[in-house]
């Protein structure tokens, strides 16, 4: 889709919007990098989501991730300015990555007049939570709202975005240093599935379920606890690696929670940025809460 707006929306690949979707939405998605021992891979460009999980499993290696560089933001900002556009940069949460700091550094390198045309928003979120706010920004842009109005609305709505996920294993939380090896071992023996959320800009473990069915029940409980899904706003489901079977089961059992929605749900494949920490087989839901 091509727009006639003078607003350019820039984001990062942690939102898990694919290059194909980015072209449709007419936005710039700047890739973070995933680092394995054999080299660096640009998220979504050198390595698709599925290819990343295949590599993660095959190598049994815990990769690291690198934030988007100031240079990449500088290029994106200057390109927009050269086309007489105003930038709204919708970023991965500050507590989760230094990516947004790279955006600020890039803006500081511009003239004072140019800086006034660059707006940077912290989503305080990641993956499909961040994505919902990017999509909201796109909707507002296409409705003819100004950059200042878009920023104000995204910042107002970010406190209403909920992300809840069910992991298949504790292994990757252990590798990332978030839990101990002994806790991971016990969890594996008991078939414990961690339930996580994004809260106050950070990923937190909010529950531990015995088995997938119990885990899905905890997801549903979390949706209710957050006040239910506002289907007048964007919502999203996601899976990592081979987790789409479990996601389809979740939707078949709980599609009624998304009142008024007909047809297939909007689904995203989780990429390398958060996939490094959650591993394959995870599912997640993100939505704007009613309350």
């Amino acid at each position: 889709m091509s727009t006639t707006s003078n607003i350019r929306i820039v984001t990062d690949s942690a939102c898990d919007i694919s290059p194909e979707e980015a072209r449709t939405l007419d936005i710039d998605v700047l890739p973070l990098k995933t680092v394995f021992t054999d080299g660096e891979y640009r998220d979504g460009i050198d390595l698709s989501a599925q290819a990343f999980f295949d590599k993660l499993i095959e190598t049994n290696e815990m990769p690291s991730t690198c934030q988007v560089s100031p240079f990449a933001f500088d290029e994106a900002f200057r390109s927009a300015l050269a086309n007489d556009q105003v930038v709204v940069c919708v970023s991965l949460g500050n507590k989760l990555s230094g990516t947004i700091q790279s955006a600020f550094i890039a803006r500081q390198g511009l003239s004072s007049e140019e800086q006034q045309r660059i707006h940077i928003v912290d989503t305080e979120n990641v993956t499909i939570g961040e994505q919902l706010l990017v999509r909201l920004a796109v909707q507002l842009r296409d409705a003819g709202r100004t950059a200042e109005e878009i920023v104000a609305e995204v910042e107002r709505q970010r406190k209403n975005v909920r992300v809840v996920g069910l992991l298949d294993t504790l292994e990757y939380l252990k590798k990332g240093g978030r839990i101990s090896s002994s806790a991971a071992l016990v969890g594996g023996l008991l078939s414990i599935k961690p339930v996580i959320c994004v809260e106050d800009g950070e990923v937190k473990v909010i529950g531990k379920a015995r088995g997938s069915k119990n885990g899905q029940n905890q997801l549903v409980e979390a949706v209710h606890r957050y006040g239910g899904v506002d289907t007048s706003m964007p919502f999203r489901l996601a899976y990592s690696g081979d987790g789409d079977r479990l996601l389809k089961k979740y939707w078949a059992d709980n599609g009624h929670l998304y009142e008024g929605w007909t047809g297939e749900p909007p689904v995203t494949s989780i990429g390398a940025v958060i996939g490094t920490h959650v591993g394959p087989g995870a599912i997640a839901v993100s939505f704007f809460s009613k309350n």
Side-chain angles (χ1 to χ4, degrees), residues 217-229:
N217 290 339
Q218 288 201 27
L219 284 189
V220 173
E221 289 170 10
V223 172
H224 288 305
R225 193 162 59 247
Y226 285 134
V229 180

Side-chain angles (χ1 to χ4, degrees), residues 20-255:
E20 295 76 22
E21 290 176 303
R23 285 191 288 272
T24 300
L25 296 172
D26 194 22
I27 62 175
D28 293 334
V29 178
L30 306 183
L32 282 83
K33 292 179 180 178
T34 306
V35 183
F36 286 89
T37 53
D38 65 354
E40 294 182 348
Y41 297 85
R42 291 171 297 172
D43 186 23
I45 297 176
D46 302 321
L47 212 55
S48 68
Q50 187 58 55
F52 163 75
F53 283 105
D54 290 344
K55 189 172 182 64
L56 185 70
I57 295 166
E58 288 169 6
T59 62
N60 196 30
E61 177 188 343
M62 185 66 176
S64 59
T65 54
C66 293
Q67 65 201 46
V68 180
S69 69
F71 177 75
F73 279 111
D74 180 76
E75 281 193 321
F77 293 169
R78 290 184 187 276
S79 174
L81 293 171
N83 288 313
D84 200 28
Q85 292 177 307
V86 177
V87 172
V88 175
C89 178
V90 185
S91 175
L92 166 62
N94 182 48
K95 292 183 180 179
L96 296 167
S97 169
T99 289
I100 195 171
Q101 296 305 320
S102 292
F104 282 121
I105 291 168
R107 185 172 68 178
Q108 288 169 2
L110 301 171
S111 70
S112 57
E113 181 183 351
E114 290 171 330
Q115 287 182 35
Q116 293 176 16
R117 295 166 62 192
I118 309 293
H119 304 267
I120 301 171
V121 186
D122 183 351
T123 64
E124 300 179 0
N125 225 305
V126 68
T127 189
I128 51 174
E130 178 187 358
Q131 183 179 145
L132 290 195
L133 291 169
V134 174
R135 290 179 179 276
L136 174 61
V138 169
Q139 287 183 359
L140 295 168
R141 176 203 65 190
D142 294 348
R145 304 286 283 273
T146 67
E148 290 79 8
E149 288 171 334
I150 293 171
V151 170
E153 184 64 7
V154 171
E155 289 182 339
R156 186 180 76 85
Q157 289 284 1
R158 67 186 171 193
K159 68 180 183 300
N160 297 322
V161 174
R162 313 297 181 187
V163 180
V164 188
L166 174 66
L167 310 191
D168 185 54
T169 174
L170 292 159
E171 182 66 20
Y172 295 89
L173 290 177
K174 180 199 80 175
K175 287 181 177 180
R178 292 185 177 270
I179 61 170
S180 68
S181 297
S182 58
L185 176 62
V186 172
L189 292 173
L190 297 177
S191 192
I192 287 176
K193 313 289 185 184
V195 181
I196 63 172
C197 75
V198 178
E199 196 172 274
D200 299 324
E202 298 179 296
V203 178
K204 299 180 179 179
V205 178
I206 58 170
K208 294 176 183 177
R210 291 286 296 274
S212 297
K213 183 176 181 180
N214 191 2
Q216 290 198 44
N217 290 339
Q218 288 201 27
L219 284 189
V220 173
E221 289 170 10
V223 172
H224 288 305
R225 193 162 59 247
Y226 285 134
V229 180
D230 181 356
T231 51
S232 70
M233 299 288 284
F235 73 92
R236 210 82 188 165
L237 278 60
Y239 68 94
S240 67
D242 59 356
D244 61 329
R245 179 189 56 80
L246 187 60
L247 190 65
K248 288 175 182 175
K249 172 66 174 164
Y250 165 83
W251 181 257
D253 293 343
N254 303 295

